[in-house]
PDB file of all heavy atoms in Angstrom:
ATOM      1  N   ASP A 357     110.404  77.759  91.418  1.00 91.00           N
ATOM      2  CA  ASP A 357     109.354  77.291  92.345  1.00 91.00           C
ATOM      3  C   ASP A 357     108.988  78.443  93.280  1.00 91.00           C
ATOM      4  O   ASP A 357     109.524  79.529  93.203  1.00 91.00           O
ATOM      5  CB  ASP A 357     109.748  76.092  93.130  1.00 91.00           C
ATOM      6  CG  ASP A 357     111.088  76.222  93.945  1.00 91.00           C
ATOM      7  OD1 ASP A 357     111.423  77.402  94.320  1.00 91.00           O
ATOM      8  OD2 ASP A 357     111.774  75.293  94.180  1.00 91.00           O
ATOM      9  N   ALA A 358     108.085  78.152  94.182  1.00 87.00           N
ATOM     10  CA  ALA A 358     107.465  79.193  95.038  1.00 87.00           C
ATOM     11  C   ALA A 358     108.568  79.747  95.959  1.00 87.00           C
ATOM     12  O   ALA A 358     108.622  80.990  96.069  1.00 87.00           O
ATOM     13  CB  ALA A 358     106.321  78.581  95.884  1.00 87.00           C
ATOM     14  N   LEU A 359     109.344  78.997  96.624  1.00 84.00           N
ATOM     15  CA  LEU A 359     110.322  79.430  97.527  1.00 84.00           C
ATOM     16  C   LEU A 359     111.375  80.308  96.851  1.00 84.00           C
ATOM     17  O   LEU A 359     111.744  81.390  97.303  1.00 84.00           O
ATOM     18  CB  LEU A 359     110.972  78.292  98.330  1.00 84.00           C
ATOM     19  CG  LEU A 359     111.920  78.690  99.457  1.00 84.00           C
ATOM     20  CD1 LEU A 359     111.229  79.555 100.449  1.00 84.00           C
ATOM     21  CD2 LEU A 359     112.524  77.478 100.108  1.00 84.00           C
ATOM     22  N   ASN A 360     111.920  79.838  95.773  1.00 90.00           N
ATOM     23  CA  ASN A 360     112.983  80.544  95.067  1.00 90.00           C
ATOM     24  C   ASN A 360     112.434  81.839  94.453  1.00 90.00           C
ATOM     25  O   ASN A 360     113.163  82.826  94.248  1.00 90.00           O
ATOM     26  CB  ASN A 360     113.576  79.611  93.959  1.00 90.00           C
ATOM     27  CG  ASN A 360     114.456  78.689  94.586  1.00 90.00           C
ATOM     28  OD1 ASN A 360     115.066  78.766  95.651  1.00 90.00           O
ATOM     29  ND2 ASN A 360     114.634  77.509  93.826  1.00 90.00           N
ATOM     30  N   SER A 361     111.117  81.864  94.120  1.00 91.00           N
ATOM     31  CA  SER A 361     110.564  83.104  93.608  1.00 91.00           C
ATOM     32  C   SER A 361     110.745  84.272  94.612  1.00 91.00           C
ATOM     33  O   SER A 361     110.856  85.340  94.166  1.00 91.00           O
ATOM     34  CB  SER A 361     109.098  82.944  93.242  1.00 91.00           C
ATOM     35  OG  SER A 361     108.268  82.789  94.422  1.00 91.00           O
ATOM     36  N   GLY A 362     110.632  83.910  95.885  1.00 87.00           N
ATOM     37  CA  GLY A 362     110.874  84.950  96.915  1.00 87.00           C
ATOM     38  C   GLY A 362     112.290  85.471  96.935  1.00 87.00           C
ATOM     39  O   GLY A 362     112.534  86.681  97.081  1.00 87.00           O
ATOM     40  N   HIS A 363     113.234  84.593  96.707  1.00 89.00           N
ATOM     41  CA  HIS A 363     114.672  85.026  96.608  1.00 89.00           C
ATOM     42  C   HIS A 363     114.887  85.937  95.438  1.00 89.00           C
ATOM     43  O   HIS A 363     115.714  86.843  95.494  1.00 89.00           O
ATOM     44  CB  HIS A 363     115.600  83.796  96.591  1.00 89.00           C
ATOM     45  CG  HIS A 363     115.529  82.899  97.754  1.00 89.00           C
ATOM     46  ND1 HIS A 363     115.735  83.421  99.039  1.00 89.00           N
ATOM     47  CD2 HIS A 363     115.289  81.663  97.996  1.00 89.00           C
ATOM     48  CE1 HIS A 363     115.645  82.493 100.050  1.00 89.00           C
ATOM     49  NE2 HIS A 363     115.347  81.308  99.342  1.00 89.00           N
ATOM     50  N   CYS A 364     114.185  85.643  94.358  1.00 93.00           N
ATOM     51  CA  CYS A 364     114.457  86.430  93.137  1.00 93.00           C
ATOM     52  C   CYS A 364     113.986  87.894  93.365  1.00 93.00           C
ATOM     53  O   CYS A 364     114.519  88.760  92.628  1.00 93.00           O
ATOM     54  CB  CYS A 364     113.676  85.808  91.944  1.00 93.00           C
ATOM     55  SG  CYS A 364     114.451  84.193  91.412  1.00 93.00           S
ATOM     56  N   THR A 365     112.995  88.068  94.161  1.00 90.00           N
ATOM     57  CA  THR A 365     112.498  89.469  94.331  1.00 90.00           C
ATOM     58  C   THR A 365     113.562  90.326  94.972  1.00 90.00           C
ATOM     59  O   THR A 365     113.489  91.591  94.850  1.00 90.00           O
ATOM     60  CB  THR A 365     111.228  89.555  95.182  1.00 90.00           C
ATOM     61  OG1 THR A 365     111.559  88.972  96.466  1.00 90.00           O
ATOM     62  CG2 THR A 365     110.131  88.621  94.595  1.00 90.00           C
ATOM     63  N   SER A 366     114.550  89.838  95.612  1.00 87.00           N
ATOM     64  CA  SER A 366     115.581  90.560  96.239  1.00 87.00           C
ATOM     65  C   SER A 366     116.480  91.372  95.336  1.00 87.00           C
ATOM     66  O   SER A 366     117.260  92.221  95.762  1.00 87.00           O
ATOM     67  CB  SER A 366     116.426  89.682  97.209  1.00 87.00           C
ATOM     68  OG  SER A 366     117.281  88.792  96.428  1.00 87.00           O
ATOM     69  N   PHE A 367     116.413  91.079  93.993  1.00 93.00           N
ATOM     70  CA  PHE A 367     117.342  91.688  93.090  1.00 93.00           C
ATOM     71  C   PHE A 367     117.219  93.215  93.103  1.00 93.00           C
ATOM     72  O   PHE A 367     118.176  93.886  93.113  1.00 93.00           O
ATOM     73  CB  PHE A 367     116.953  91.179  91.645  1.00 93.00           C
ATOM     74  CG  PHE A 367     117.777  91.818  90.555  1.00 93.00           C
ATOM     75  CD1 PHE A 367     119.048  91.274  90.312  1.00 93.00           C
ATOM     76  CD2 PHE A 367     117.342  92.860  89.826  1.00 93.00           C
ATOM     77  CE1 PHE A 367     119.839  91.854  89.299  1.00 93.00           C
ATOM     78  CE2 PHE A 367     118.042  93.358  88.809  1.00 93.00           C
ATOM     79  CZ  PHE A 367     119.340  92.817  88.511  1.00 93.00           C
ATOM     80  N   MET A 368     115.919  93.736  93.201  1.00 90.00           N
ATOM     81  CA  MET A 368     115.753  95.215  93.202  1.00 90.00           C
ATOM     82  C   MET A 368     116.469  95.911  94.330  1.00 90.00           C
ATOM     83  O   MET A 368     117.063  96.938  94.136  1.00 90.00           O
ATOM     84  CB  MET A 368     114.269  95.529  93.200  1.00 90.00           C
ATOM     85  CG  MET A 368     113.472  95.143  91.957  1.00 90.00           C
ATOM     86  SD  MET A 368     111.771  95.641  91.985  1.00 90.00           S
ATOM     87  CE  MET A 368     111.124  94.616  93.345  1.00 90.00           C
ATOM     88  N   GLY A 369     116.393  95.287  95.451  1.00 85.00           N
ATOM     89  CA  GLY A 369     117.014  95.900  96.707  1.00 85.00           C
ATOM     90  C   GLY A 369     118.506  95.822  96.691  1.00 85.00           C
ATOM     91  O   GLY A 369     119.129  96.476  97.572  1.00 85.00           O
ATOM     92  N   ARG A 370     119.024  95.011  95.852  1.00 89.00           N
ATOM     93  CA  ARG A 370     120.526  94.878  95.819  1.00 89.00           C
ATOM     94  C   ARG A 370     121.255  95.739  94.805  1.00 89.00           C
ATOM     95  O   ARG A 370     122.466  95.833  94.765  1.00 89.00           O
ATOM     96  CB  ARG A 370     120.889  93.402  95.474  1.00 89.00           C
ATOM     97  CG  ARG A 370     120.430  92.403  96.483  1.00 89.00           C
ATOM     98  CD  ARG A 370     120.657  90.907  96.097  1.00 89.00           C
ATOM     99  NE  ARG A 370     120.302  89.965  97.060  1.00 89.00           N
ATOM    100  CZ  ARG A 370     121.118  89.536  98.031  1.00 89.00           C
ATOM    101  NH1 ARG A 370     122.363  89.919  98.073  1.00 89.00           N
ATOM    102  NH2 ARG A 370     120.661  88.673  98.889  1.00 89.00           N
ATOM    103  N   LEU A 371     120.422  96.501  94.032  1.00 90.00           N
ATOM    104  CA  LEU A 371     121.060  97.455  93.031  1.00 90.00           C
ATOM    105  C   LEU A 371     121.642  98.703  93.699  1.00 90.00           C
ATOM    106  O   LEU A 371     120.885  99.317  94.497  1.00 90.00           O
ATOM    107  CB  LEU A 371     120.025  97.806  92.053  1.00 90.00           C
ATOM    108  CG  LEU A 371     119.433  96.653  91.174  1.00 90.00           C
ATOM    109  CD1 LEU A 371     118.421  97.135  90.237  1.00 90.00           C
ATOM    110  CD2 LEU A 371     120.486  95.828  90.492  1.00 90.00           C
ATOM    111  N   ASP A 372     122.825  99.044  93.428  1.00 89.00           N
ATOM    112  CA  ASP A 372     123.367 100.256  94.019  1.00 89.00           C
ATOM    113  C   ASP A 372     123.045 101.485  93.200  1.00 89.00           C
ATOM    114  O   ASP A 372     122.539 101.389  92.011  1.00 89.00           O
ATOM    115  CB  ASP A 372     124.911 100.070  94.196  1.00 89.00           C
ATOM    116  CG  ASP A 372     125.664  99.860  92.935  1.00 89.00           C
ATOM    117  OD1 ASP A 372     125.249 100.344  91.879  1.00 89.00           O
ATOM    118  OD2 ASP A 372     126.828  99.249  93.051  1.00 89.00           O
ATOM    119  N   CYS A 373     123.353 102.593  93.676  1.00 88.00           N
ATOM    120  CA  CYS A 373     123.011 103.921  93.105  1.00 88.00           C
ATOM    121  C   CYS A 373     123.666 104.037  91.736  1.00 88.00           C
ATOM    122  O   CYS A 373     123.022 104.618  90.815  1.00 88.00           O
ATOM    123  CB  CYS A 373     123.326 105.069  93.993  1.00 88.00           C
ATOM    124  SG  CYS A 373     122.468 105.076  95.512  1.00 88.00           S
TER     125      CYS A 373
END
Side-chain angles (χ1 to χ4, degrees):
D357 56 28
L359 185 59
N360 285 334
S361 71
H363 295 306
C364 291
T365 63
S366 68
F367 179 81
M368 291 184 292
R370 294 173 178 271
L371 301 179
D372 61 29
C373 294

